[in-house]
Amino acid sequence: MERDDEPMPSVDVFSAKNLSLIELCELGQVLGLGSFDEMMAGFKDAFVDEDAGCGALIIPEKLVRKIKSLSVYEIGSAAEAWSKFEQFQHMLPPQTLSNPPKKRGLFARIFKLKTEVPIVQEPADNGVKPRLVEYLIKLQTFLKTRNETAYLFMTP
């Protein structure tokens, strides 16, 4: 990778530990936007830094628009349905990111962490739904304040 003296841009990042492409595709299913496979196909590569083992996918605009438009009732219903997926059934006790992991490579230069949400790390019958409600409300608020393309960042 060639280096230049231009400063790298900085963007706001909404971070939720333990939520990945799989969970976002499941959320799209819950919101009636398509099957898991259809949602998966909607995420497009933005860039990859193979040296750092990181990358970013463009989050489908239909998912972003739907999250922005959810009513409080719809958020509660979506969180209830979403919490029943397998990924939320065997989580560890809650943790927070008071010391976020160090970013490497391209990500260290481009992104600074703006929002951290301790998220969904206990069994579904012990409070996942309230955490997903909190997550969806905070994500919705974050997305409503921005009109840029939304990205899913993948780190090791």
Side-chain angles (χ1 to χ4, degrees):
M1 180 187 297
E2 236 178 79
R3 300 190 99 183
D4 58 35
D5 292 333
E6 293 292 318
M8 297 298 282
S10 179
V11 296
D12 293 337
V13 176
F14 184 86
S15 177
K17 188 173 182 181
N18 292 331
L19 291 184
S20 68
L21 177 61
I22 291 171
E23 289 81 14
L24 290 179
C25 288
E26 291 171 344
L27 176 60
Q29 272 185 277
V30 164
L31 296 175
L33 299 175
S35 69
F36 181 86
D37 290 337
E38 291 168 334
M39 291 304 304
M40 187 72 80
F43 284 80
K44 303 297 179 196
D45 288 337
F47 62 90
V48 175
D49 181 343
E50 291 182 15
D51 292 336
C54 302
L57 299 172
I58 298 171
I59 298 174
E61 183 58 32
K62 69 181 181 179
L63 180 57
V64 172
R65 277 194 317 271
K66 184 65 174 180
I67 293 168
K68 285 181 174 183
S69 72
L70 293 173
S71 69
V72 173
Y73 174 77
E74 290 170 320
I75 286 174
S77 296
E80 176 72 31
W82 199 22
S83 70
K84 295 182 184 341
F85 279 86
E86 183 179 341
Q87 281 74 12
F88 300 121
Q89 300 304 311
H90 305 288
M91 298 290 201
L92 300 171
Q95 299 175 358
T96 60
L97 287 180
S98 55
N99 296 312
K102 291 185 178 183
K103 304 228 180 280
R104 298 188 306 252
L106 181 63
F107 289 90
R109 297 188 303 274
I110 296 180
F111 305 104
K112 57 185 179 182
L113 201 55
K114 290 290 188 183
T115 306
E116 282 292 347
V117 178
I119 188 69
V120 207
Q121 293 190 1
E122 58 185 58
D125 59 345
N126 288 330
V128 168
K129 180 186 172 190
R131 288 182 178 210
L132 288 174
V133 167
E134 177 187 8
Y135 167 77
L136 287 171
I137 290 170
K138 288 182 178 185
L139 177 60
Q140 181 183 61
T141 301
F142 180 84
L143 291 172
K144 282 183 173 182
T145 63
R146 285 150 185 84
N147 291 318
E148 304 91 19
T149 302
Y151 298 93
L152 172 64
F153 297 99
M154 301 169 295
T155 59

